[in-house]
Amino acid sequence: MNQKVKASSETIDVLIVINAEYIKKNYPRNTDPNNAQKIDHNNHYLISHNPREIVLGQGTADLGIKAKLGDIFYLRTTTIHQNNDDFAVIVYKIEHGNGNTIFTPFQWDFSYTNAVQFNIDTYRPLPPLFKRQYFANYNAKIKSEGTENVFIYLALYVLSNNGESHELYGYYYWDPQFKVDFIK
């Protein structure tokens, strides 16, 4: 397939989906954010939209993409439970792990909007409510091609005994692998 490649930078979105229940079942509590415990690649996923090309690994812990120098790379995180009910995660740091350094340092950012929400007053999906909601992300620019493991530090929260709020379960980190090949 021969497509014309845009000269300007593109936005590459990656959703990190963490199976928080798996972490709780397989890892002990850890309340020290400076000594996060490493978690394995089982039951955690990378889902990407890349307007250029996803080469391999959609829905796994290792993602290969086509990109250009300066493309903007966004990471957003949720649990398989959609950060509600019993579990939620918040990413508190992302840094280079090992391999090539293909990203500039990740920066935290957020936005907010009057987002659509289920109308709990009517117990019907329509008409929805619109309430202010905050959306967090980490972003970086692609600065070189290669393969990099990125350390993603997350705080895991579980439903407290009162059943009405979350409480900290622990601090963990995950090291998914990203492979970037430049489009020639």
Side-chain angles (χ1 to χ4, degrees):
M1 189 161 136
N2 191 2
Q3 292 181 345
K4 192 170 191 174
V5 177
K6 288 184 179 180
S8 61
S9 66
E10 290 281 1
T11 298
I12 299 164
D13 291 293
V14 176
L15 179 64
I16 300 166
V17 182
I18 299 293
N19 187 332
E21 190 169 10
Y22 175 84
I23 295 172
K24 188 176 178 197
K25 285 181 179 177
N26 291 283
Y27 296 92
R29 283 186 178 264
N30 175 17
T31 57
D32 182 358
N34 298 312
N35 193 22
Q37 183 175 357
K38 184 177 181 182
I39 58 175
D40 62 37
H41 283 211
N42 295 327
N43 293 289
H44 315 298
Y45 313 96
L46 300 171
I47 302 169
S48 178
H49 167 72
N50 180 359
R52 299 204 193 276
E53 184 180 354
I54 298 169
V55 178
L56 60 91
Q58 182 76 280
T60 71
D62 302 313
L63 186 65
I65 61 171
K66 294 277 190 182
K68 291 186 84 176
L69 180 69
D71 279 353
I72 303 167
F73 197 83
Y74 282 91
L75 292 173
R76 295 171 179 88
T77 308
T78 189
T79 65
I80 208 160
H81 300 88
Q82 198 178 8
N83 270 1
N84 64 24
D85 297 331
D86 294 335
F87 304 101
V89 292
I90 294 176
V91 171
Y92 63 95
K93 180 171 59 172
I94 297 178
E95 63 185 14
H96 170 74
N98 52 50
N100 306 108
T101 303
I102 60 175
F103 301 110
T104 60
F106 280 89
Q107 303 295 316
W108 180 83
D109 196 11
F110 77 95
S111 61
Y112 62 88
T113 187
N114 285 326
V116 64
Q117 296 182 9
F118 185 80
N119 189 337
I120 61 171
D121 296 329
T122 64
Y123 293 97
R124 295 187 178 133
L126 297 175
L129 295 176
F130 294 88
K131 292 187 177 182
R132 178 168 280 192
Q133 189 169 346
Y134 293 89
F135 301 94
N137 71 74
Y138 280 82
N139 60 76
K141 288 187 177 180
I142 294 178
K143 70 177 196 174
S144 70
E145 58 185 345
T147 302
E148 178 176 1
N149 284 76
V150 175
F151 291 171
I152 298 173
Y153 294 83
L154 55 97
L156 171 60
Y157 293 85
V158 297
L159 192 63
S160 65
N161 289 336
N162 70 15
E164 295 182 10
S165 62
H166 286 120
E167 66 184 19
L168 178 68
Y169 181 78
Y171 296 99
Y172 305 90
Y173 77 96
W174 187 44
D175 65 340
Q177 184 176 84
F178 297 96
K179 183 177 188 308
V180 172
D181 292 318
F182 280 162
I183 296 171
K184 308 297 183 214

